[in-house]
Amino acid sequence: MIKEITHNLYYVGVNDNSKVLFERLWPLPYGVSYNAYLIKDKHNVLIDTVEYPFNKNFFDNIKEVIADENIDYVVVNHMEPDHSSSLLQLIEKYPDIKIIGNKKTIDMLNGFYGITTNILEVKDGETLQIGERTLSFHLTPMVHWPETMMTYVNEEGILFSGDAFGAFGSLKNGIMDVDANIELVTDEMYRYYSNIVGKYGGPVEKAIEKLSSLPINYICSTHGPIWHEKISYVVEHYLKMARYQSEEGVVIAYGSMYGHTADVAKNIYDALNDAGVKNVVMHDLSDVDASFVLRDVFKYNTLILGSPTYNSEIFPKVADLTVKLEGRMIKNKTFSCFGSYSWAGQAVKRLNAFAERMEWNIVEPQIEIKQAGLNVNIKALSQQLAENIIKAIRN
Ligand code: FEO
């Protein structure tokens, strides 16, 4: 699939509809695209490559654009192998090609691929004239790795943004934002961001601020659609995620072995809906991948975790989620928890300790039932919790 995005700028990326788990971790129900771009000018310039197993289509796309012309430069905005692992094959096909990267890129080029020659090092803000166009290079460390940078075409306001503004989902319906189902792309952007980049909110915000003075007509990310008609939407949305800002809503995520913790979860879910809380979603962590729960945690301002006590600890599926949440240093949450135990309760105590470490706003009552909790008025406690959550999030 190639397409001219604007005069002499071509999409030469590929769709991956076969991979099951991105990074061998994150499900891909809608696939993923590895985006690469080719600028035709006095000097032809490729921006990024694609993941190695998919590079046949990529090289075919390039050929379709430039036939037997040479490629003079390849800009490596990001070294993660989903974008860099075709570099050796690229060099084989275009032996004179110069690789453009920054100091940190150079170290990684050697470490990943043993590439040490034909490299042009660029510094923050440096420019390169490629004919009619001028490229400028902007270092944006930790969006998502330390070497990440963005490349900008000064004359046309085209930003090649690396992973930033990217989303899961292959580009089946076309490569531009106007071709996309924005609701689905937004969901898959939440998932890409929360799963992959979520730890680096600070650097993402800094990068957006750093580039805010540049007029931008196109944002060409390494994943997902090219943003042109909806640039202000995507920038605003991305900033919101970077700042851990979320909308009213409650995520109930729980584990349950024999249905007792699930019963409390259902009561809380009903109580929140009855009380008129917007966007109440519930996940049984034995049924759903944490990827989707992280998406919802980034979307909504309240998290309620439920866990049985298991070997005197938090149930493993719930504990695993807490590790992922802590790893992303998620801020600004209203929190509560619930649980069950058979002879000695530990889960609720440990979940509270986790929420205190995260410096979240903890709301009570926290329902912890012994065995089936037959003598506990779970419904009434759930209603009380729902009322208190509303007070906490609407104040
Ligand atoms: Fe899509 Fe951080 O690589």
Side-chain angles (χ1 to χ4, degrees):
M1 172 177 54
I2 61 156
K3 187 175 171 187
E4 190 170 22
I5 299 165
T6 181
H7 177 62
N8 277 343
L9 167 65
Y10 295 86
Y11 179 87
V12 290
V14 298
N15 282 329
D16 173 0
N17 291 307
S18 58
K19 186 176 282 165
V20 178
L21 295 174
F22 190 79
E23 294 184 342
R24 302 288 295 144
L25 279 172
W26 312 106
L28 291 171
Y30 307 101
V32 65
S33 67
Y34 311 117
N35 298 345
Y37 305 91
L38 187 55
I39 305 171
K40 272 189 78 167
D41 209 313
K42 183 175 171 203
H43 299 290
N44 293 331
V45 178
L46 183 64
I47 311 283
D48 292 310
T49 71
V50 304
E51 190 166 336
Y52 171 79
F54 305 92
N55 66 22
K56 184 184 176 311
N57 289 350
F58 167 63
F59 288 123
D60 288 349
N61 290 345
I62 291 172
K63 269 263 174 246
E64 216 176 311
V65 177
I66 55 168
D68 292 326
E69 283 181 40
N70 202 16
I71 305 177
D72 299 283
Y73 298 100
V74 55
V75 177
V76 178
N77 279 328
H78 183 20
M79 276 296 294
E80 191 163 6
D82 52 335
H83 310 296
S84 71
S85 56
S86 294
L87 279 172
L88 287 174
Q89 289 69 39
L90 183 74
I91 292 168
E92 220 175 278
K93 286 177 189 295
Y94 301 94
D96 298 326
I97 197 168
K98 267 205 161 51
I99 302 177
I100 297 178
N102 58 69
K103 196 169 179 224
K104 288 187 174 139
T105 322
I106 291 170
D107 177 58
M108 289 188 184
L109 283 168
N110 189 12
F112 276 108
Y113 308 112
I115 297 173
T116 55
T117 55
N118 259 358
I119 299 170
L120 176 63
E121 183 187 333
V122 290
K123 295 194 169 53
D124 192 31
E126 247 180 59
T127 58
L128 176 73
Q129 198 70 38
I130 60 166
E132 288 178 6
R133 296 170 160 104
T134 317
L135 303 184
S136 58
F137 307 98
H138 305 269
L139 305 198
T140 52
M142 303 320 298
V143 186
H144 138 232
W145 280 13
E147 88 302 355
T148 43
M149 64 180 197
M150 298 189 192
T151 300
Y152 180 72
V153 181
N154 292 4
E155 292 77 7
E156 290 157 301
I158 302 165
L159 181 69
F160 299 99
S161 62
D163 280 346
F165 306 103
F168 287 136
S170 66
L171 302 174
K172 285 179 191 149
N173 302 324
I175 59 170
M176 304 302 295
D177 52 5
V178 283
D179 302 321
N181 171 344
I182 289 297
E183 203 178 325
L184 179 62
V185 170
T186 303
D187 249 29
E188 286 293 273
M189 181 177 282
Y190 262 121
R191 215 159 59 78
Y192 186 82
Y193 184 84
S194 62
N195 294 186
I196 310 294
V197 192
K199 180 178 178 182
Y200 306 111
V204 169
E205 194 177 349
K206 214 165 141 185
I208 294 175
E209 274 163 16
K210 179 175 176 176
L211 300 170
S212 62
S213 61
L214 301 176
I216 294 176
N217 286 323
Y218 294 87
I219 297 178
C220 301
S221 169
T222 46
H223 302 285
I226 294 150
W227 298 93
H228 179 52
E229 300 288 335
K230 298 170 192 291
I231 285 178
S232 54
Y233 169 80
V234 76
V235 170
E236 201 176 300
H237 177 63
Y238 219 76
L239 260 179
K240 186 173 147 185
M241 293 190 299
R243 291 172 177 158
Y244 300 95
Q245 290 168 346
S246 46
E247 52 193 280
E248 177 176 313
V250 179
V251 182
I252 303 168
Y254 68 93
S256 186
M257 288 181 281
Y258 298 106
H260 302 113
T261 310
D263 185 41
V264 180
K266 181 74 174 52
N267 271 276
I268 294 173
Y269 178 83
D270 289 344
L272 289 164
N273 276 309
D274 291 347
V277 174
K278 289 180 204 159
N279 306 310
V280 185
V281 294
M282 184 159 70
H283 295 295
D284 179 337
L285 295 171
S286 295
D287 291 338
V288 69
D289 193 280
S291 169
F292 300 92
V293 184
L294 289 172
R295 172 198 67 195
D296 290 343
V297 169
F298 271 75
K299 269 188 195 176
Y300 302 126
N301 58 13
T302 304
L303 174 65
I304 305 180
L305 291 177
S307 172
T309 293
Y310 189 89
N311 289 340
S312 302
E313 295 285 347
I314 300 170
F315 187 62
K317 292 277 184 185
V318 184
D320 177 58
L321 179 65
T322 63
V323 170
K324 290 184 166 74
L325 294 165
E326 203 157 6
R328 283 156 183 77
M329 301 186 287
I330 296 173
K331 298 175 181 65
N332 310 330
K333 287 286 158 221
T334 297
F335 175 83
S336 192
C337 58
F338 58 95
S340 67
Y341 61 95
S342 297
W343 66 92
Q346 285 292 326
V348 164
K349 188 172 93 183
R350 290 177 191 277
L351 287 172
N352 273 312
F354 155 74
E356 276 164 23
R357 285 199 301 281
M358 301 294 285
E359 299 180 352
W360 290 347
N361 178 25
I362 299 175
V363 178
E364 295 192 345
Q366 298 173 343
I367 308 164
E368 188 170 35
I369 57 171
K370 184 176 180 183
Q371 295 144 15
L374 297 178
N375 300 319
V376 180
N377 191 338
I378 298 170
K379 189 174 175 184
L381 287 168
S382 299
Q383 286 166 341
Q384 187 59 59
L385 176 63
E387 266 177 43
N388 292 349
I389 295 246
I390 285 178
K391 274 184 212 151
I393 61 182
R394 291 188 187 164
N395 277 342

